Amino acid sequence: MSLSAVLLAAGSTPTPTPSESPTVSVPSLQDAQESATNAASWVEQNWSTWLAIGLKVLLIMVIATVLRFAVRRAITKLIDRMNRAVQTSDGAASGGTALGSLLVNVERRRQRSQAIGSVLRSVASFIILGTAALMVLSAFQINLAPLLASAGVAGVAIGFGARNLVTDFLSGVFMILEDQYGVGDTIDAGVASGEVIEVGLRVTKLRGDQGEIWYVRNGEVKRIGNLSQGWATAGVDVTVRSDEDLDRLKATLAEVGEQMSKEEPWNEMLWSPIEILGLDSVLLDSMIIHLSAKTMPGKSLTVERELRWRVKRALDAAGIRIMGGATVAPEEEPEDPTAGMAAPSAYSNTGSPQAQAATPLVAPPAGAK
């Protein structure tokens, strides 16, 4: 190869220099116009779908809000109507007397109505808003199957973990709906007893006989004894000697009951005449007569105390002796501690003649004559 051919080949191949850089392609106006056209076409194709989804979501929220407001207002009116109906029936039954005012417990009715209304409103709001939320997610084409499955598993886990709380809540709801007891009632809940001062969906507060406050979980209550519903029974036992005249005793007790029924405030507390039920038991030295009467709820102890007071005074005035308790044995003189001891013996004194005569003879020493 000749030198001219080599130089010609070297001149035809450009040699890159370090200062050279790759060229950057600048989008042209035509490219920008094409991109804008594609974006506008995509928006034009999907705007109707977006508008439909937005209108659907808005309609769901408006319907849920209106429905929730209407249901909550209907529940409130229903509770108010129930309260007015109960007040009217109580007023007609009592005739405007003081007894009727005692029977109508405004605080109890208010708390019960608030609890029932709160539970119903909360349940209605949860159902309506929960359904609306699921419908909104469905409108966005979201698959609800995994969400519902996860919610079910979480609900089961929470239910097992907080089963005591759920039990207390459900027991409180049914207790309030069934009106088992209320504020002002005296109840025996098994675990505690006393006057109800507050009723809640989870805990009931009781005031004990000594002034203590008991917090009883509604789920722990297995049975309830309400001492303030309906009527109570006052019972008094009168123990007298077995040789008393029964006719005179019965006439005296009947006069006490009749006089007590006519005096205030006992005529309002007694809901039936004081009855002499007869002899409960007859012993060799005593007999027991039982008196009974229906009283206003919670007033049985008060009536019993007053009736015992009047019976004691009437029997003392009639000369009839009341007996009770175990018979006291007559006091005996204490025994002499030395009575069981023998008389001192003369032999106990070593210096006495008897002791000297009874002393054994000493053997003579060996070798003595």
Side-chain angles (χ1 to χ4, degrees), residues 239-308:
T239 306
V240 297
R241 293 181 300 181
S242 58
D243 57 352
E244 294 289 346
D245 187 1
L246 290 178
D247 294 333
R248 188 164 69 99
L249 177 61
K250 184 176 181 180
T252 303
L253 296 178
E255 184 180 358
V256 171
E258 183 179 359
Q259 183 179 1
M260 183 176 176
S261 302
K262 294 179 181 179
E263 298 180 1
E264 294 183 355
W266 313 111
N267 56 354
E268 293 183 354
M269 296 183 185
L270 289 170
W271 285 10
S272 70
I274 299 177
E275 300 179 359
I276 304 175
L277 300 182
L279 292 174
D280 271 6
S281 64
V282 179
L283 304 177
L284 293 176
D285 59 345
S286 63
M287 56 183 177
I288 300 176
I289 298 92
H290 187 70
L291 307 180
S292 178
K294 291 183 179 180
T295 67
M296 181 187 302
K299 300 297 181 181
S300 58
L301 293 179
T302 305
V303 173
E304 288 177 359
R305 295 188 182 102
E306 180 65 19
L307 183 57
R308 291 191 188 98

Side-chain angles (χ1 to χ4, degrees), residues 192-195 197 205-215:
S193 60
E195 181 182 356
I197 59 177
K205 294 172 63 175
L206 304 178
R207 174 77 67 179
D209 296 334
Q210 305 299 326
E212 68 276 12
I213 296 180
W214 298 98
Y215 295 86

Side-chain angles (χ1 to χ4, degrees), residues 13-262:
T13 304
T15 304
T17 60
S19 60
E20 290 183 355
S21 59
T23 59
V24 179
S25 61
V26 179
S28 61
L29 181 60
Q30 184 178 359
D31 295 337
Q33 184 178 3
E34 184 178 357
S35 299
T37 302
N38 294 335
S41 176
W42 183 76
V43 171
E44 184 179 1
Q45 292 176 0
N46 294 282
W47 76 270
S48 58
T49 305
W50 296 344
L51 180 60
I53 293 176
L55 292 176
K56 188 175 180 179
V57 171
L58 180 61
L59 182 62
I60 292 173
M61 297 305 297
V62 169
I63 293 177
T65 304
V66 173
L67 183 60
R68 178 174 177 269
F69 175 78
V71 171
R72 290 173 65 91
R73 186 171 182 181
I75 292 174
T76 303
K77 287 187 176 181
L78 178 62
I79 297 299
D80 294 341
R81 185 176 302 175
M82 290 173 57
N83 288 337
R84 288 196 298 267
V86 173
Q87 291 176 2
T88 304
S89 61
D90 289 344
S94 62
T97 61
L99 178 59
S101 62
L102 290 174
L103 293 177
V104 177
N105 195 328
V106 179
E107 180 64 19
R108 171 178 177 175
R109 183 175 297 110
R110 185 187 65 81
Q111 285 204 2
R112 180 169 178 261
S113 301
Q114 287 183 352
I116 294 176
S118 176
V119 171
L120 294 179
R121 284 190 291 266
S122 299
V123 171
S125 299
F126 177 77
I127 293 176
I128 294 173
L129 296 181
T131 305
L134 293 178
M135 294 177 67
V136 168
L137 293 178
S138 178
F140 283 105
Q141 303 297 326
I142 297 177
N143 188 10
L144 299 180
L147 180 62
L148 294 178
S150 302
V153 173
V156 171
I158 293 175
F160 277 107
R163 57 184 181 274
N164 291 333
L165 181 62
V166 175
T167 302
D168 297 340
F169 181 80
L170 294 179
S171 299
V173 170
F174 284 105
M175 178 270 299
I176 293 175
L177 291 177
E178 296 172 0
D179 194 19
Q180 297 177 6
Y181 55 85
V183 175
D185 288 351
T186 301
I187 66 172
D188 181 3
V191 293
S193 60
E195 181 182 356
V196 180
I197 59 177
E198 185 177 340
V199 178
L201 293 177
R202 193 182 69 86
V203 174
T204 298
K205 294 172 63 175
L206 304 178
R207 174 77 67 179
D209 296 334
Q210 305 299 326
E212 68 276 12
I213 296 180
W214 298 98
Y215 295 86
V216 181
R217 287 172 41 203
N218 296 328
E220 292 183 346
V221 179
K222 303 302 180 183
R223 51 91 174 165
I224 289 290
N226 196 325
L227 308 179
S228 300
Q229 285 184 351
W231 44 267
T233 302
V236 173
D237 291 332
V238 180
T239 306
V240 297
R241 293 181 300 181
S242 58
D243 57 352
E244 294 289 346
D245 187 1
L246 290 178
D247 294 333
R248 188 164 69 99
L249 177 61
K250 184 176 181 180
T252 303
L253 296 178
E255 184 180 358
V256 171
E258 183 179 359
Q259 183 179 1
M260 183 176 176
S261 302
K262 294 179 181 179

